[in-house]
Amino acid sequence: MGGGGGGHDPFDIFSSFFGGSPFGSGGSSRGRRQRRGEDVVHPLKVSLEDLYLGTSKKLSLSRNVLCSKCNGKGSKSGASMTCAGCQGTGMKVSIRHLGPSMIQQMQHPCNECKGTGETINDRDRCQQCKGEKVVQEKKVLEVVVEKGMQNGQKITFPGEADEAPDTVTGDIVFVLQQKEHPKFKRKADDLFVEHTLSLTEALCGFQFVLAHLDGRQLLIKSNPGEVVKPDSYKAINDEGMPNYQRHFLKGKLYIHFSVEFPDTLSLDQVKALEATLPLKPTSQLTDMELDECEETTLHDVNMEEEIRRRQQAQQEAYEEDEDMHGGAQRVQCAQQ
């Protein structure tokens, strides 16, 4: 019916959709994809100062590269033979007997060709790579840690992993691991620091110097007449971490205050404080009502020890109950 130019080869249509020939490797090789090599991942420890200021680190790494003498062929002539051990598949199947009528079939790379599916004649082996197709190379990479980067963030060097024949080279990936800082804690772009005040500082005012991550000395002080309550927070704008995308923007620096109370006060100190502080609330009870009350004594407790002691007592009571029930059951069984 006329072989006009509008006709399409069905094999070309198959290749465009599925990336190969319907007849396997013997057909058209158009659209065939190379397998991708594995990425190499390295942890990179950094300090909080590194993430605040930015830094660069030079690291020396060893990797496999295609042999330059044989162009990654492994042989002088560039020829290779199909591996007899695996028939060119690169894999071997082993069978393990687990018991009567039970077997386990396992697949593993061929040890004769190291999973390549081909072997090289000993006389034809490349002298530089000894038929391995790759040689080791040392390379120095400069890893740039930018300001504001986060713990766990990845820095990627595309195509710098191990090379292999007929393989798209993978990447080298560095994963940032922030070391714990003795003073500052980080949450996103904000910084947190703990500071303890004496009771006098909390009531009458305080002033102290805080060394920042870049070495600057920040003067931290309260406003006149300001009272700082225990477990309260104060914030300083633009003294947190720089933003990774926009370095000129910074988070906040939060200071968490705790107040250290004195263990005891002398009678003179009590009288002086009572004269200065707001009056105590007066009791709503009459003297007669107070006489009818039972007086109690307060004592200090360690709640962690109290909880531990209670749990131990409950465990001992449970074990004792188990012993009693177990003994009763044994007696009953003996009678039967």
Side-chain angles (χ1 to χ4, degrees), residues 1-22:
M1 295 294 294
H8 296 283
D9 187 339
F11 295 159
D12 287 342
I13 296 174
F14 188 96
S15 295
S16 65
F17 274 92
F18 300 104
S21 166

Side-chain angles (χ1 to χ4, degrees), residues 73 80-83 86 88 112-113 115-120 133:
K73 300 296 183 182
S80 61
M81 300 179 294
T82 300
C83 174
C86 63
E112 295 181 36
C113 64
T116 62
E118 57 186 32
T119 57
I120 298 168
K133 302 181 182 180

Side-chain angles (χ1 to χ4, degrees), residues 211-225:
H212 210 326
L213 293 168
D214 56 359
R216 288 180 297 125
Q217 303 292 310
L218 303 182
L219 179 62
I220 315 294
K221 61 181 182 178
S222 58
N223 298 319

Side-chain angles (χ1 to χ4, degrees), residues 10-286:
F11 295 159
D12 287 342
I13 296 174
F14 188 96
S15 295
S16 65
F17 274 92
F18 300 104
S21 166
F23 301 114
S25 59
S28 171
S29 63
R30 282 177 293 176
R32 186 182 299 165
R33 294 181 179 179
Q34 287 182 306
R35 70 180 182 90
R36 191 181 188 281
E38 292 185 1
D39 294 339
V40 178
V41 181
H42 295 283
L44 180 62
K45 291 190 178 295
V46 290
S47 65
L48 191 56
E49 286 86 352
D50 291 335
L51 298 175
Y52 184 86
L53 296 167
T55 187
S56 65
K57 298 176 181 288
K58 290 186 177 180
L59 302 172
S60 178
L61 302 172
S62 293
R63 68 169 190 152
N64 292 333
V65 295
L66 294 178
C67 177
S68 57
K69 191 167 186 179
C70 64
N71 294 321
K73 300 296 183 182
S75 61
K76 301 173 188 175
S77 64
S80 61
M81 300 179 294
T82 300
C83 174
C86 63
Q87 305 301 317
T89 63
M91 303 297 289
K92 275 188 174 182
V93 176
S94 60
I95 295 175
R96 180 183 174 191
H97 291 274
L98 302 177
S101 303
M102 291 183 65
I103 60 171
Q104 183 182 32
Q105 187 171 292
M106 295 179 293
Q107 195 175 35
H108 54 84
C110 175
N111 56 0
E112 295 181 36
C113 64
K114 297 181 181 178
T116 62
E118 57 186 32
T119 57
I120 298 168
N121 189 294
D122 288 342
R123 295 179 181 178
D124 195 26
R125 287 185 189 276
C126 171
Q127 295 301 311
Q128 182 167 292
C129 66
K130 311 300 181 188
E132 296 292 331
K133 302 181 182 180
V134 293
V135 293
Q136 275 214 334
E137 172 192 76
K138 281 203 170 184
K139 187 162 188 175
V140 176
L141 296 177
E142 184 174 5
V143 185
V144 178
V145 180
E146 296 185 47
K147 292 180 181 181
M149 279 188 160
Q150 301 270 359
N151 178 52
Q153 192 165 345
K154 296 177 180 178
I155 301 173
T156 303
F157 289 80
E160 293 289 352
D162 290 332
E163 294 182 354
D166 302 319
T167 303
V168 177
T169 308
D171 306 332
I172 289 182
V173 182
F174 292 96
V175 182
L176 299 182
Q177 291 185 353
Q178 181 200 313
K179 293 180 281 189
E180 188 173 352
H181 197 275
K183 184 187 301 178
F184 294 96
K185 302 292 181 188
R186 179 186 185 181
K187 291 183 181 178
D189 288 346
D190 296 325
L191 288 172
F192 290 77
V193 68
E194 302 282 335
H195 189 78
T196 301
L197 298 173
S198 67
L199 182 57
T200 305
E201 288 177 310
L203 296 175
C204 306
F206 65 86
Q207 178 175 300
F208 66 93
V209 174
L210 177 65
H212 210 326
L213 293 168
D214 56 359
R216 288 180 297 125
Q217 303 292 310
L218 303 182
L219 179 62
I220 315 294
K221 61 181 182 178
S222 58
N223 298 319
E226 181 183 10
V227 173
V228 179
K229 296 178 181 179
D231 201 30
S232 61
Y233 286 85
K234 303 283 184 185
I236 305 173
N237 292 335
D238 302 321
E239 286 297 349
M241 293 293 293
N243 183 274
Y244 169 55
Q245 302 293 343
R246 296 171 290 179
H247 298 162
F248 57 90
L249 293 179
K250 289 185 178 180
K252 292 182 179 181
L253 169 61
Y254 291 92
I255 304 175
H256 180 215
F257 289 100
S258 56
V259 178
E260 196 172 56
F261 284 75
D263 294 329
T264 58
L265 293 172
S266 67
L267 291 177
D268 291 339
Q269 288 174 321
V270 171
K271 289 179 181 179
L273 285 172
E274 285 182 334
T276 305
L277 296 174
L279 293 174
K280 292 189 293 185
T282 56
S283 174
Q284 302 297 319
L285 298 175
T286 65

